[in-house]
Amino acid sequence: MNNDVVVAITDLRKEYADSVALNGVSLTVRAGEAVAVMGPSGSGKSTLLNMIAGLDRPTSGSVVVHGTDLGSLDETGLALFRRRGIGMIFQFFNLLDDLSALDNVALAAQLTGTPASQARKRALELFGELGISNRRNIYPARLSGGERQRVAVARALMNRPALLLADEPTGALDSRSGEQVMDLLLDLNQIGQTLLLVTHDERLATRCASRVVEVVDGRIAREQSLERTS
Amino acid sequence: MSAVWSAAWAAVRRRLLQTIVIGVVVCASTATIVMALGLLESAAAPFDRAFATQRGAHLAAAFDPAKTSDDQLRKAAGQTESAGPFAQSTLDTSTGEIFKGTLTVAGRADPGGPVDRLTIWEGRWATAPGEIVLNRAPGGNGRTNLGFQLTVPGRPTLTVVGFAHSVTGSADAWVTPEQVEALQPTVLQMLYRFPNAGTAAEVAEGQKSVTAGLPEGALLGTLSHLTVKDKATSELGVFIPFLLIFGVLGLVVAVLIVANVVSGAVVAGFRHIGMLKALGFTPGQVMAVYLVMVSIPAVAGCVLGTLAGNVFAKPIVQDAVEGFGVTELSFAPWVNAVALLGMPALVISAALVPAIRARRLPAAQAISAGTTAHSGRALRVQRWLSGTPLPRSVSLGLGLPFARLGRSALTLAAVVLGVMTVTLATGVTMSITAYNDAVRPSYADRVEVLAGGPPGLPVMRNPEMGEPPAAALSDADDEKMLRAVPGTAAVMAVSQLETEVAGGTQNATVLFYRGDVSALGPRVLTGHWPDGPGQVAVPSRFLNQRGLSVGDTITVQAKENRTQLKIVGVVLTNNEDQIFADWTALNVLAPGTRAHAYQVKFTPGTDRASFTAAIGKGDPGLRVLPPRDGSSSTAVIIISASVVLTLVLGAVAALGVFNTVVLNARERRRDLGMLKSIGMTPRQVTVLLSTSMGALGLVGGLVGMPVGVAVHQLLVPAMAHAGQADAVDILMDVYHAPALALLALAGVVIAVLGALVPARGAAHLSIATVLHNE
Ligand SMILES: Nc1ncnc2c1ncn2[C@@H]1O[C@H](COP(=O)(O)OP(=O)(O)OP(=O)(O)O)[C@@H](O)[C@H]1O
Ligand SMILES: [Mg+2]
């Protein structure tokens, strides 16, 4: 494991019209870490994740991912950054309903200009690795929640991102499928994938994270390194 | 009810953009409908309208002053509404420096009165001796204007002080009653209005009642309003098919787009509907919320649109029907009533269909139905597109229309109609321009030179022009001189004779040409240009009106000389009473006549002023006429109406596309947010949404363009027929490959213009906000 800094956040502040979502957060994530962000609802966890992904801009403070200061990028620059550098997984999967599972995953590579055939080939490999090869031609509406989330994970991994971000990836799943998805993420982390995930489930967090960060009212209230239980 | 109201009001405010779009679309469509209906109504009866406003005469009658008196005439008219008697004189002006035929001049103290109320649209009424008012349709122009002097040998000189219009055409000009006495009147004119005058029999009945008891032979002649109407309608009837088509197009486009926008708004609200039901709204209440939600902007738009239609559409319609003498146009009340009542009815019914569906939809299904309907076809198309080598943002965009087939179809229909309108209007404009160029050659590259009036004929004199021309050189020397002027490309000498054509009641002007006729003469449609003394070429209307055909022989008489001319060709010209012959024929009919005018074409790059000066130096007695405006007012009106209608309908179609993109982007914003989160750039999102509409635009162009061409090919013969125009081939054959290709792309232009703004808006939407709110 190397100790390169993947994410460096300094004094991050995000205000919305009627609330302060983040109020001075500093955080460093190193390559190969699995960081779990926890905290009560409305504390600013999703906001923090969005800032790292460049989905929104901070009011003040800086976010540096892989040596790139996101504040220096324009909209297009941020999009290109996300394409290559970030994989995102959402609570509600966010798959395109009118594309098959395979095409949903291939899409991520096609956006970078990869030809369709090559993109589908790489997607098939991932489907094999994630154990959902037999679901490749099914449309999202006919997949179970767990399957949808695995498709979403495959999509996030498509461009071999340096950083995988997951916002309550198990939040919409029953506990069994949730655990399966967590195992998947843990496996990925163990082969070196840097991971930052938001979750409410303490058990899952302690099982797969190497560090837990607790956010309360837009501030980091507690940080704790863990010996993984698995 | 208050729950319904507050939910509807909340929906209106939350969907501000959609509300504005509905309002704007309804407003533009209502204005279009007002204009379309106004056009349909005005085009259907412009003559009747003008006739009613002016209280036109059902019958104009001419009486012999030697056989009856003013008193007798008034008494005979009895209770019948009448005007007159007006003393009337015929001035035999003729083709001279400025064209005017025979002028019927009536002595009239007052343009108003119970019958035939004249509209004075320029200048003023004649109140003193020496003043004359000419009858001309409003906006029309000729070579005379205010201040022109009319000189007829042996009569007082008259100055034009005004232009008035009589729908009935009761006279060509008016002077004061005192003045007309000096013009040696020969006729007493009476104008009548009858209670019933719809048919020829009723007019005859009326005529009998007002002439009963008058001496034998007092009545010289009559003119029924039915005859006048026939003539007027055939002259300006060329507008009518055109206006009708545009009226119908405007109507259909407006209806389609409103249906699309309104039903789209309801479909887009399905998720919201599910939530309302979950809150405990009854199905009826849900439906009411949606109807109220779309009605608020719709009613506002409808009222504004009706106002806008009345304010902005009126000048266009006014222009179009002005030639009929309609000066004060007001749309019939039913036009506004239809717009004000019909539009909300249309909006409600367009909303009702999906609202009824919403009413039946179970809450859970409504919530999940919020995004998109998935047909097998849409999925197959997407799968196929995924595999193509197109950039992903393009292929996703191309698949988008298939997800909402109904909405796409309505949008497509609007684009098809938009392109069709553009194609048709362009074609009509090109036809009219081509025809106009053919009948009235462009005077940009030529000068008209007068050598003197035809001998013995009166002239209309323009005091600003000074003395009438009188050539110093002989005809042959003048021609030689003109050919020698640097820059001359072609010279044609012109002379003319007024002749009687045996067997017809009307006279004809024979124009004799000499020199470069092929470069400067009228276009020969069939047969050939006369090349010998016994030959003549005529316009086809001349043939039609006399039942002649090419190869027939006519006998013309000028002064004492009579000659037989064989019709050898049909030429294109505006005036059915002009026929054309070779100079050799002039030598038979009127030997020794010199050219009274020349047409001289100059080479490109020649300066008109110095060219004119050189001619004046060569023969100071010649007069070069100022350059003539080659366009006719009819053409200008049709062309400007085409342009305005094209812009309006094109804009309304683009608005339809705009709305579709707004709805699609709203429905898809979660998808768009996700796409951006995995690295789609704002530009790619714009491309995606624009491509989805660009594809519709392309299809719309490919369908709409041929349809527009087809309608043009049907419409133009109808217009040509109504206007009795020759050379239908010139009118028909106007579309060429590059123009057609551009027209086919018009759909893409309309679609991309409509899509760009909302697409860019969607592309720059904050992803965090989208994902946070869903
Ligand atoms: N786009 C936005 N516009 C306005 N306010 C926002 C926006 N996104 C988040 N907020 C506000 O910022 C605060 C933090 O929100 P955030 O979504 O980050 O919380 P969270 O910790 O992810 O909560 P949860 O566990 O419920 O997902 C909340 O008060 C929220 O209302
Ligand atoms: Mg959250």
Side-chain angles (χ1 to χ4, degrees):
Chain A
M1 196 182 279
N2 65 54
N3 279 346
D4 292 348
V5 173
V6 178
V7 181
I9 297 171
T10 349
D11 205 16
L12 190 64
R13 211 180 139 76
K14 176 67 184 178
E15 294 168 12
Y16 288 108
D18 45 6
S19 61
V20 178
L22 293 175
N23 188 6
V25 170
S26 297
L27 178 71
T28 307
V29 178
R30 293 178 188 279
E33 271 193 293
V35 178
V37 178
M38 302 191 64
S41 182
S43 57
K45 307 180 294 293
S46 297
T47 306
L48 177 63
L49 219 66
N50 288 344
M51 296 294 149
I52 298 172
L55 293 182
D56 208 346
R57 290 186 185 273
T59 310
S60 66
S62 78
V63 179
V64 178
V65 179
H66 259 299
T68 310
D69 183 352
L70 300 193
S72 69
L73 299 177
D74 63 2
E75 279 289 303
T76 306
L78 285 174
L80 298 180
F81 152 75
R82 280 194 294 275
R83 225 181 247 183
R84 297 278 179 194
I86 300 276
M88 279 202 90
I89 304 163
F90 303 91
Q91 180 175 0
F92 294 105
F93 329 120
N94 282 342
L95 299 173
L96 289 184
D97 288 341
D98 39 17
L99 293 185
S100 67
L102 190 73
D103 283 337
N104 257 292
V105 174
L107 177 66
Q110 283 177 291
L111 274 187
T112 67
T114 312
S117 55
Q118 233 172 296
R120 280 181 177 163
K121 212 173 120 219
R122 158 104 178 114
L124 265 180
E125 281 169 28
L126 281 170
F127 271 58
E129 287 168 26
L130 301 185
I132 44 174
S133 295
N134 57 337
R135 315 308 284 158
R136 62 179 183 272
N137 287 329
I138 309 293
Y139 284 87
R142 309 264 296 275
L143 293 172
S144 75
E147 287 167 339
R148 283 189 222 185
Q149 198 58 300
R150 269 184 281 179
V151 172
V153 171
R155 182 179 63 194
L157 294 175
M158 225 11 217
N159 295 325
R160 300 186 175 87
L163 176 62
L164 196 58
L165 299 173
D167 194 348
E168 298 187 34
T170 62
L173 302 177
D174 61 62
S175 58
R176 217 178 75 84
S177 328
E179 260 173 64
Q180 283 175 351
V181 169
M182 266 311 176
D183 285 343
L184 182 63
L185 294 177
L186 185 58
D187 289 348
L188 286 167
N189 178 241
Q190 268 164 359
I191 56 172
Q193 176 70 57
T194 313
L195 181 64
L196 189 87
L197 70 96
V198 170
T199 180
H200 275 122
D201 188 330
E202 196 152 349
R203 212 169 56 86
L204 287 179
T206 48
R207 217 179 98 196
C208 88
S210 55
R211 185 148 62 104
V212 172
V213 175
E214 201 171 324
V215 179
V216 179
D217 285 342
R219 291 171 185 276
I220 295 185
R222 202 161 60 100
E223 256 189 88
Q224 181 186 17
S225 291
L226 298 173
E227 254 339 287
R228 282 188 232 182
T229 53
S230 63
Chain B
M1 192 62 217
S2 80
V4 167
W5 179 255
S6 51
W9 186 241
V12 164
R13 288 214 324 231
R14 209 164 63 87
R15 293 146 200 261
L16 207 56
L17 179 61
Q18 177 189 296
T19 304
I20 292 171
V21 168
I22 294 180
V24 170
V25 165
V26 170
C27 176
S29 303
T30 313
T32 310
I33 284 178
V34 168
M35 178 164 81
L37 291 178
L39 278 176
L40 290 178
E41 190 223 18
S42 313
F47 180 82
D48 298 344
R49 177 194 286 275
F51 193 82
T53 330
Q54 289 201 352
R55 301 191 53 76
H58 290 136
L59 187 75
F63 296 95
D64 187 345
K67 299 215 165 108
T68 181
S69 70
D70 289 12
D71 281 346
Q72 267 181 323
L73 287 173
R74 281 200 205 97
K75 225 171 98 200
Q79 294 303 307
T80 308
E81 280 185 289
S82 65
F86 305 123
Q88 187 180 306
S89 153
T90 304
L91 287 189
D92 182 20
T93 70
S94 218
T95 311
E97 180 179 343
I98 287 124
F99 176 79
K100 258 295 159 204
T102 319
L103 276 185
T104 312
V105 185
R108 216 170 139 168
D110 175 13
V115 180
D116 194 33
R117 290 180 191 156
L118 307 177
T119 323
I120 301 167
W121 56 272
E122 197 183 345
R124 58 172 175 82
W125 191 243
T127 51
E131 295 180 346
I132 188 167
V133 172
L134 298 182
N135 184 10
R136 189 183 284 172
N141 43 46
R143 281 195 169 183
T144 47
N145 42 42
L146 294 184
F148 269 65
Q149 288 180 347
L150 174 66
T151 322
V152 178
R155 309 278 169 88
T157 295
L158 298 168
T159 306
V160 177
V161 295
F163 288 94
H165 184 243
S166 160
V167 191
T168 339
S170 56
D172 295 324
W174 298 272
V175 293
T176 61
E178 301 74 47
Q179 177 68 70
V180 83
E181 293 308 326
L183 297 173
Q184 300 152 25
T186 49
V187 163
L188 285 177
Q189 181 191 56
M190 285 293 289
L191 304 170
Y192 304 100
R193 273 181 78 83
F194 305 127
N196 297 308
T199 64
E202 285 170 341
V203 174
E205 183 84 5
Q207 176 178 334
K208 231 166 75 192
S209 73
V210 293
T211 54
L214 291 175
E216 188 78 16
L219 182 65
L220 294 172
T222 57
L223 181 64
S224 155
H225 72 114
L226 297 172
T227 315
V228 176
K229 179 177 177 172
D230 265 4
K231 186 158 177 285
T233 321
S234 86
E235 272 170 12
L236 285 147
V238 57
F239 277 123
I240 288 169
F242 168 79
L243 295 180
L244 289 179
I245 292 264
F246 274 102
V248 170
L249 275 176
L251 216 57
V252 176
V253 171
V255 167
L256 265 177
I257 286 171
V258 170
N260 192 13
V261 169
V262 170
S263 61
V266 179
V267 171
F270 273 4
R271 193 191 286 258
H272 182 230
I273 287 169
M275 266 139 48
L276 289 178
K277 287 194 168 176
L279 277 175
F281 278 73
T282 67
Q285 282 176 319
V286 169
M287 208 171 88
V289 166
Y290 269 75
L291 291 182
V292 172
M293 181 189 90
V294 296
S295 297
I296 291 173
V299 167
C302 178
V303 171
L304 281 178
T306 309
L307 287 176
N310 279 280
V311 172
F312 297 113
K314 222 177 245 175
I316 299 166
V317 181
Q318 170 88 56
D319 264 1
V321 298
E322 201 170 52
F324 289 98
V326 181
T327 44
E328 274 304 309
L329 181 83
S330 64
F331 289 141
W334 70 264
V335 169
N336 288 331
V338 164
L340 279 174
L341 300 176
M343 188 46 96
L346 171 68
V347 168
I348 301 284
S349 41
L352 215 51
V353 177
I356 287 172
R357 225 173 98 207
R359 189 173 180 272
R360 285 204 229 100
L361 220 56
Q365 204 182 326
I367 292 178
S368 64
T371 47
T372 39
H374 296 287
S375 70
R377 189 187 303 111
L379 297 179
R380 275 197 303 279
V381 169
Q382 276 296 5
R383 157 160 276 170
W384 176 76
L385 283 167
S386 295
T388 61
L390 291 169
R392 202 63 184 101
S393 48
V394 171
S395 57
L396 280 175
L398 290 177
L400 205 55
F402 294 92
R404 278 254 180 255
L405 274 180
R407 177 184 300 165
S408 302
L410 283 175
T411 312
L412 182 62
V415 174
V416 166
L417 288 171
V419 172
M420 190 182 137
T421 310
V422 174
T423 306
L424 177 61
T426 315
V428 168
T429 304
M430 289 191 297
S431 292
I432 288 172
T433 311
Y435 189 75
N436 205 44
D437 284 352
V439 289
R440 302 168 196 248
S442 149
Y443 284 82
D445 62 347
R446 56 174 87 179
V447 292
E448 287 178 281
V449 183
L450 297 181
L457 290 176
V459 289
M460 295 280 289
R461 257 188 59 199
N462 181 353
E464 287 155 30
M465 280 184 177
E467 285 306 301
L473 303 179
S474 72
D475 189 6
D477 287 346
D478 268 333
E479 184 176 344
K480 214 181 287 163
M481 180 276 291
L482 289 171
R483 287 193 185 280
V485 172
T488 297
V491 178
M492 180 174 79
V494 183
S495 189
Q496 67 186 53
L497 280 180
E498 297 304 310
T499 64
E500 252 168 56
V501 179
T505 50
Q506 268 177 318
N507 294 348
T509 304
V510 190
L511 289 167
F512 301 92
Y513 287 165
R514 183 184 74 209
D516 304 314
V517 177
S518 57
L520 291 160
R523 191 179 127 146
V524 179
L525 295 175
T526 45
H528 63 87
W529 184 256
D531 50 12
Q535 299 181 358
V536 68
V538 301
S540 64
R541 276 191 239 176
F542 181 91
L543 294 181
N544 298 341
Q545 287 174 3
R546 292 171 170 81
L548 295 166
S549 53
V550 176
D552 289 347
T553 298
I554 55 171
T555 305
V556 299
Q557 170 144 11
K559 309 218 176 74
E560 297 78 46
N561 297 327
R562 173 191 294 246
T563 187
Q564 292 221 315
L565 298 172
K566 183 174 174 204
I567 300 173
V568 295
V570 176
V571 291
L572 186 60
T573 163
N574 236 4
N575 189 335
E576 68 261 34
D577 296 323
Q578 280 181 350
I579 60 179
F580 299 86
D582 186 58
W583 201 264
T584 49
L586 180 65
N587 290 336
V588 176
L589 277 164
T593 310
R594 69 157 291 153
H596 76 269
Y598 301 91
Q599 292 208 5
V600 187
K601 183 172 167 174
F602 48 79
T603 50
T606 308
D607 174 48
R608 180 183 284 270
S610 46
F611 190 69
T612 303
I615 293 174
K617 239 171 89 194
D619 182 346
L622 296 181
R623 157 120 29 95
V624 179
L625 285 183
R628 210 196 279 208
D629 179 11
S631 63
S632 82
S633 53
T634 314
V636 170
I637 291 166
I638 294 195
I639 289 170
S640 53
S642 280
V643 169
V644 172
L645 288 165
T646 303
L647 290 179
V648 170
L649 291 190
V652 172
L655 214 54
V657 173
F658 177 94
N659 172 67
T660 298
V661 175
V662 169
L663 290 179
N664 283 349
R666 169 181 283 278
E667 278 175 13
R668 295 290 185 136
R669 60 199 192 136
R670 197 186 168 81
D671 288 351
L672 295 176
M674 183 280 291
L675 285 169
K676 285 172 77 174
S677 78
I678 64 169
M680 196 173 243
T681 62
R683 199 158 132 210
Q684 284 175 311
V685 175
T686 310
V687 169
L688 189 159
L689 287 172
S690 304
T691 307
S692 70
M693 291 298 111
L696 283 188
L698 189 64
V699 175
L702 291 176
V703 176
M705 184 271 286
V707 176
V709 171
V711 173
H712 175 269
Q713 301 291 303
L714 294 175
L715 176 68
V716 156
M719 287 174 76
H721 181 72
Q724 297 187 9
D726 288 327
V728 171
D729 63 318
I730 297 184
L731 292 164
M732 297 289 272
D733 192 19
V734 292
Y735 293 110
H736 301 294
L740 288 178
L742 283 177
L743 287 169
L745 288 179
V748 179
V749 174
I750 291 176
V752 171
L753 279 183
L756 215 51
V757 171
R760 286 179 56 93
H764 288 95
L765 217 78
S766 153
I767 313 160
T769 310
V770 171
L771 298 175
H772 172 80
N773 285 339
E774 296 293 310

